[in-house]
Amino acid sequence: MLDRAFSARRTQPHSLFDVPTSSAVSDVSPDAESADLLADESKTKKPHLYVLASNYMSRLGLVKSPCLCLSLCLLLSVFILFSLMLNSRSFVCLSSYDPISRASFFGLDGLDSDFGSLGVPWCRSKQGKTVEWTSKDLVKGLEEFVPIYETRPIKNNMHGMGFDHSFGLWFIAQWLRPDIMIESGAFKGHSTWVMRQAMPDTPIISLTPRHPEKYLKKGPAYVDENCTYFAGKDFVDFGSVDWERVLKKHGISDFSKVLVFFDDHQNELKRLKQALKAGFNHLIFEDNYDTGTGDHYSLRQICDQFFIRGGGHSCFKDSDEARIRSKRKKFWEKAVDIDELCGPHEAWWGVRGEMRDNFNHNNTPISYGEHFQNSRFVESILDVYWELPPAAGPSLTHQTRYDPARAPTPIVEDGRYRMFKRLGLDRLERSVFNGYTQMVYLQISKPET
């Protein structure tokens, strides 16, 4: 499935930094990082037993009627026998109310699953360019990364990255092989550790209000010996750094060979403009929140537009979207219903018509016209937009937070338990799969004249 979305071209994983240069805004106070850890709860929160039970009850179609139960049991028996005959997929949990996933369940009409059934807005690039890696590269990467992830120094990275995004950062960094890596927002140092596993000898610059060593007093943290920290009293916000001077000290003059990673919960439009102005080309945003969620304005929100396939929303409470969202809200913690999605005057863009910033401390109401213009600006500088897919489907990971109807098709699709187990994903705690928020990789350059 992913192969259809990715470029058929495949190059060896040595430097891909050969595109034009370009770069994005916000101040992070030292108090903001610690105060805002509670803003989005734990990204790797343990799944609720009730939600898991409800999820599987619904997906298995269990109801109180004995007749229906008997019918469903017979139906499932037929499917299991059919699956064994084909020797292709093992048991798949499905929603009892979702016709798309049920059609896929029996291989009808070529439908894959309920993934993306509510639409997945995908930012449009200038020339339609996409990434060079394929689904096979991602699967191979998973197999290599799982044992690395198991050695992580911070086992319980509450409020930080879980497995999906850790893999995404590691994979992209290893594939691009930059000359230097910059991260804005380090927390306890897990992302620094991930980048170090991808590039053992590459310099790292870390901007973070509180130095990771401060967390060592209370528990595990990671401090890198080959990292230049702008932290604590030396903290400087990304948008205020003289990057030409700083990178010159590291012997870097070609900004197209720099990878910038943002996990600072700042307005991504602002960061995008700062990065473009500085001359950076390769960016990763860790928290690319969906419309109606999150503590900052994201690329996913900006590109959620009516003119983009999968984008745009209706606040009409009797609409099909409203009914689907209402049902899915019962099973996915981060699912958003129409009442939550729509603010005053049916403002659905951003978060209820607001452009959030700085851990949800600074919120600015914007019109749809402004929201539309923001998307046109992004399109004018965007060379590549690629959202990291979930590592595996929810029936395999048992994640209960993000709604798969608003996510790309996972790398390991529901039902492929043999692959899930072969890759070692079954060895990981279920809670590490609950932190997926559509991490996105971008290539940007100045607008064409």
Side-chain angles (χ1 to χ4, degrees):
M1 177 86 179
L2 288 173
D3 285 321
R4 295 201 298 268
F6 297 152
S7 169
R9 295 184 299 119
R10 179 181 176 184
T11 60
Q12 294 301 315
H14 47 271
S15 181
L16 295 178
F17 289 105
D18 55 359
V19 296
T21 54
S22 296
S23 216
V25 206
S26 182
D27 297 318
V28 186
S29 66
D31 295 332
E33 184 172 276
S34 57
D36 301 313
L37 295 178
L38 302 178
D40 188 37
E41 304 178 304
S42 168
K43 292 184 183 178
T44 55
K45 188 173 68 175
K46 303 284 186 181
H48 295 301
L49 182 61
Y50 169 76
V51 178
L52 286 174
S54 299
N55 197 348
Y56 285 112
M57 289 283 285
S58 171
R59 287 172 176 268
L60 291 173
L62 296 179
V63 293
K64 294 182 180 180
S65 171
C67 293
L68 286 177
C69 283
L70 180 59
S71 299
L72 289 173
C73 286
L74 291 172
L75 199 60
L76 287 173
S77 298
V78 172
F79 167 76
I80 292 171
L81 289 173
F82 180 70
S83 177
L84 290 174
M85 289 175 63
L86 292 179
N87 194 27
S88 60
R89 296 195 177 199
S90 53
F91 180 74
V92 183
C93 296
L94 291 171
S95 169
S96 61
Y97 54 77
D98 194 319
I100 296 179
S101 59
R102 287 203 166 278
S104 170
F105 189 69
F106 294 102
L108 301 178
D109 302 322
L111 296 173
D112 294 288
S113 72
D114 63 347
F115 279 85
S117 62
L118 280 177
V120 180
W122 199 267
C123 294
R124 302 190 305 188
S125 59
K126 287 183 284 188
Q127 303 296 334
K129 184 180 176 182
T130 187
V131 294
E132 296 193 10
W133 52 81
T134 67
S135 57
K136 292 181 180 179
D137 295 316
L138 292 171
V139 171
K140 183 179 179 181
L142 279 174
E143 188 171 20
E144 183 179 350
F145 182 68
V146 169
I148 295 174
Y149 185 74
E150 289 178 309
T151 68
R152 65 197 184 280
I154 307 170
K155 300 297 184 184
N156 182 14
N157 194 31
M158 187 172 289
H159 306 296
M161 285 198 300
F163 176 81
D164 299 82
H165 291 188
S166 298
F167 166 69
L169 176 59
W170 173 87
F171 179 87
I172 295 169
Q174 189 181 60
W175 188 280
L176 296 178
R177 307 190 69 80
D179 289 346
I180 193 168
M181 297 177 287
I182 300 170
E183 65 172 344
S184 180
F187 190 28
K188 297 180 182 179
H190 175 76
S191 56
T192 316
W193 177 83
V194 170
M195 290 190 290
R196 179 57 64 222
Q197 306 315 299
M199 300 293 292
D201 302 316
T202 300
I204 299 173
I205 297 175
S206 181
L207 313 174
T208 190
R210 187 178 185 185
H211 201 293
E213 66 182 6
K214 297 293 183 181
Y215 294 99
L216 287 170
K217 299 177 181 178
K218 296 183 179 181
Y222 177 78
V223 179
D224 192 87
E225 295 179 354
N226 192 21
C227 179
T228 301
Y229 287 95
F230 290 86
K233 292 185 293 184
D234 298 322
F235 171 71
V236 182
D237 182 72
F238 177 85
S240 301
V241 176
D242 183 346
W243 286 112
E244 186 173 356
R245 180 180 62 83
V246 170
L247 293 180
K248 187 176 182 180
K249 288 183 177 180
H250 288 81
I252 305 295
S253 59
D254 188 352
F255 280 34
S256 69
K257 296 184 178 180
V258 179
L259 176 62
V260 185
F261 173 65
F262 293 104
D263 188 11
D264 54 12
H265 295 253
Q266 303 299 300
N267 181 339
E268 292 179 9
L269 177 64
K270 180 173 61 179
R271 287 300 194 217
L272 195 63
K273 291 178 178 179
Q274 291 172 346
L276 182 68
K277 182 179 179 181
F280 296 117
N281 299 132
H282 300 268
L283 316 177
I284 300 174
F285 287 95
E286 198 264 330
D287 288 304
N288 185 31
Y289 290 118
D290 196 11
T291 298
T293 69
D295 56 14
H296 62 269
Y297 198 43
S298 69
L299 270 299
R300 167 68 85 94
Q301 293 174 5
I302 293 170
C303 294
D304 196 347
Q305 302 281 346
F306 286 112
F307 64 87
I308 291 180
R309 182 179 179 182
H313 302 281
S314 168
C315 291
F316 183 50
K317 293 189 177 182
D318 289 331
S319 65
D320 290 339
E321 179 179 358
R323 286 190 288 270
I324 294 173
R325 285 183 175 276
S326 178
K327 291 177 180 179
R328 302 192 72 83
K329 179 69 176 175
K330 299 174 183 178
F331 307 109
W332 309 103
E333 295 174 45
K334 285 294 183 180
V336 176
D337 61 26
I338 288 296
D339 291 332
E340 294 172 296
L341 180 71
C342 298
H345 310 293
E346 299 188 346
W348 54 261
W349 48 93
V351 179
R352 298 172 62 83
E354 290 185 341
M355 181 171 61
R356 291 186 171 180
D357 191 13
N358 195 21
F359 291 90
N360 198 22
H361 291 326
N362 302 325
N363 301 329
T364 304
I366 58 172
S367 66
Y368 180 74
E370 293 173 293
H371 179 65
F372 174 79
Q373 290 303 320
N374 291 339
S375 72
R376 298 312 299 263
F377 168 75
V378 169
E379 287 185 354
S380 73
I381 67 171
L382 201 58
D383 294 312
V384 171
Y385 178 92
W386 181 76
E387 288 185 8
L388 172 76
S395 73
L396 299 171
T397 64
H398 303 288
Q399 75 84 16
T400 59
R401 281 171 61 79
Y402 75 85
D403 184 355
R406 291 285 288 176
T409 303
I411 300 171
V412 182
E413 296 183 57
D414 277 316
R416 298 196 177 275
Y417 180 72
R418 291 182 184 178
M419 177 183 289
F420 184 78
K421 186 175 182 179
R422 178 177 64 81
L423 296 175
L425 294 168
D426 63 320
R427 300 197 303 265
L428 303 178
E429 292 185 7
R430 294 178 179 180
S431 60
V432 303
F433 295 105
N434 267 338
Y436 178 78
T437 50
Q438 298 88 224
M439 172 187 276
V440 63
Y441 163 68
L442 309 176
Q443 287 183 26
I444 61 173
S445 61
K446 292 181 179 179
E448 299 175 350
T449 56

